[in-house]
Amino acid sequence: MRLLIVEDEVRLASALQRGLASEGFTVDLAHTGPDGLHAAQETTYDAVILDIMLPGLSGYRIIEALRGAENWVPILMLTAKDGEYDEADALDLGADDYLTKPFSFVVLLARIRALLRRGVTPRPASLTVDDLVLDPAAHTVMRGGATIELTPREFSLLEFLMRRAGDAVSKADILHHVWDANYEGDANVVEVYVGYLRRKIDTPFGRQSVQTVRGAGYRLTAEIG
Ligand code: CA
């Protein structure tokens, strides 16, 4: 079994390499984002251990690039508890599992073995409502085959609505899930972003898929307006 470790903390990477080698794995190391992406593209690994904060290219961009190219190598992300990102982001972007630093080698080994048992599973992760398709791993949105460019916040809002398609979701729910849970600003920001979203996913296509539900919030439907 051949593994790739992408980790810029050289001593940690080397310690993991030694430990995994003693368990019978063949382990390659990369210490920068670009080197890691290149290695993962050039070599077929059984699993990749990927740090998030890397020089040159973050672990998230590496996952996006690999999944965007339909490379489904099992990926274990290493996240820092106080980091800019969290575990949900890692899984949304197409990681298979994550470990929060600091972690024990025994736990890492168990997680890697579990990943290897599962093997490569192409992710049918796309969300589809009518002809609107959102791919959380590749971070793309399409309507009827046309690519739609969204800002990260618009993307999160659309993903939230698509995961609850057909249900009315309140502004408070949207604020809580799409904005920070402790967001103290004006709740009208939801209306503003729903407006942005409609201008991108509905208006150009003559649709009204994001409906206002009086007194309740919004609902994404497959109905053609
Ligand atoms: Ca790092």
Side-chain angles (χ1 to χ4, degrees):
M1 288 291 191
R2 191 178 188 108
L3 307 177
L4 172 66
I5 298 176
V6 189
E7 167 63 76
D8 58 321
E9 292 167 52
V10 175
R11 287 174 59 184
L12 172 62
S14 299
L16 292 178
Q17 183 183 38
R18 278 195 305 276
L20 290 166
S22 74
E23 296 291 330
F25 294 99
T26 302
V27 183
D28 293 340
L29 295 183
H31 298 305
T32 71
D35 286 352
L37 177 58
H38 183 74
Q41 285 169 331
E42 293 300 306
T43 305
T44 303
Y45 289 101
D46 296 293
V48 175
I49 300 166
L50 183 60
D51 188 30
I52 292 180
M53 297 301 182
L54 292 163
L57 193 66
S58 78
Y60 284 108
R61 299 287 86 78
I62 293 174
I63 288 199
E64 276 181 355
L66 292 175
R67 299 316 193 212
E70 307 210 331
N71 180 331
W72 307 110
V73 60
I75 295 177
L76 176 74
M77 285 226 91
L78 303 180
T79 65
K81 234 194 178 77
D82 56 352
E84 180 183 351
Y85 302 98
D86 64 22
E87 294 78 6
D89 290 326
L91 298 180
D92 274 353
L93 276 168
D96 297 272
D97 199 359
Y98 63 85
L99 260 187
T100 303
K101 292 179 182 177
F103 50 82
S104 84
F105 180 74
V106 174
V107 172
L108 175 82
L109 190 60
R111 298 290 191 85
I112 289 171
R113 291 205 163 118
L115 272 190
L116 294 172
R117 274 197 301 276
R118 261 188 274 159
V120 176
T121 45
R123 215 169 313 271
S126 293
L127 303 170
T128 302
V129 176
D130 195 13
D131 62 349
L132 187 64
V133 181
L134 179 148
D135 183 336
H139 238 251
T140 55
V141 176
M142 301 187 92
R143 166 84 89 184
T147 299
I148 300 173
E149 300 289 341
L150 297 181
T151 65
R153 187 77 76 189
E154 292 163 355
F155 187 92
S156 300
L157 174 60
L158 180 59
E159 183 178 358
F160 183 72
L161 292 172
M162 288 183 80
R163 286 191 188 280
R164 289 156 186 78
D167 295 339
V169 288
S170 71
K171 282 185 201 175
D173 264 357
I174 293 172
L175 263 188
H176 187 79
H177 285 94
V178 179
W179 275 263
D180 186 79
N182 302 311
Y183 178 77
E184 300 279 357
D186 192 339
N188 286 330
V189 70
V190 174
E191 269 175 58
V192 171
Y193 273 84
V194 165
Y196 292 157
L197 203 52
R198 282 171 168 153
R199 263 176 265 159
K200 292 186 176 177
I201 68 162
D202 279 345
T203 313
F205 303 91
R207 304 298 179 85
Q208 295 176 8
S209 66
V210 185
Q211 300 181 337
T212 302
V213 183
R214 200 167 286 278
Y218 299 97
R219 178 170 54 217
L220 185 76
T221 72
E223 283 167 43
I224 295 171

